[in-house]
Amino acid sequence: MNIIIQDLNHIAEAARQFVSCIGDHHVFAFYGHMGAGKTTFIKAICEELGVKDVITSPTFAIVNEYSLPPIPSDWRGSSGADASPSRGRMEGALFHFDFYRIKKLEEVYDMGYEDYFYSGALCFIEWPELIEELLPTDAVKVSISEQEDGSRVVEISS
């Protein structure tokens, strides 16, 4: 599936489309060059999911944890869009990783990555290519590429 983000004015709609595709998946690996918009898109997704915390890049912390609010059964998202049938299970923690500064895989082992990736919580991972061999086999690949006109294409593949 592809999602087109024409500009920042349309990122909330793109995030809404993404959330509608989450289904039962938990781990999402976001690929794209520096400045492609990975952090900005993840921030928009978090907002669509109802995160009230200040959402920042975890570049120096490696991982940020956000709280997902309890979701009522008739949840319609921040824009009124219908919820996916599996949306009700998404409450609790959401983990946002940025592995850009990782030098060795031992650093990822030391942080206890398995406790995050296999917890059932949503995990959004930036720079997954640096830890590719540690990703769960069912991680969803999300590639963001910038087009000549400044728009972004978000390609989602399982």
Side-chain angles (χ1 to χ4, degrees):
M1 170 184 185
N2 287 351
I3 298 172
I4 307 296
I5 306 172
Q6 290 300 327
D7 55 42
L8 283 177
N9 293 326
H10 295 95
I11 198 162
E13 173 60 31
R16 205 168 304 118
Q17 289 176 33
F18 182 89
V19 167
S20 73
C21 297
I22 287 177
D24 291 330
H25 300 285
H26 298 269
V27 179
F28 296 84
F30 287 80
Y31 295 82
H33 65 77
M34 183 77 73
K38 296 180 297 293
T39 302
T40 302
F41 188 51
I42 289 171
K43 179 180 179 187
I45 295 166
C46 290
E47 290 170 350
E48 180 65 21
L49 289 169
V51 171
K52 299 297 182 205
D53 303 315
V54 175
I55 304 162
T56 60
S57 173
T59 300
F60 294 101
I62 299 176
V63 61
N64 286 346
E65 179 178 352
Y66 302 114
S67 295
L68 289 173
I71 307 300
S73 60
D74 64 344
W75 181 81
R76 291 183 148 304
S78 64
S79 63
D82 287 334
S84 66
S86 62
R87 178 64 180 97
R89 66 145 173 87
M90 284 187 241
E91 55 186 72
L94 180 154
F95 299 103
H96 178 192
F97 299 85
D98 185 333
F99 289 116
Y100 182 74
R101 297 193 181 282
I102 292 295
K103 302 287 187 237
K104 298 181 283 186
L105 280 179
E106 287 76 26
E107 295 174 67
V108 184
Y109 285 112
D110 290 346
M111 70 176 285
Y113 79 94
E114 292 166 314
D115 293 338
Y116 297 103
F117 292 1
Y118 298 101
S119 68
L122 285 174
C123 294
F124 296 149
I125 303 165
E126 295 187 52
W127 301 102
E129 54 270 46
L130 299 175
I131 61 149
E132 195 82 35
E133 64 196 66
L134 302 180
L135 291 175
T137 56
D138 61 347
V140 176
K141 181 177 182 181
V142 182
S143 298
I144 301 177
S145 58
E146 184 176 6
Q147 307 304 294
E148 284 187 25
D149 65 359
S151 65
R152 305 301 200 266
V153 174
V154 180
E155 183 180 345
I156 304 164
S157 57
S158 302

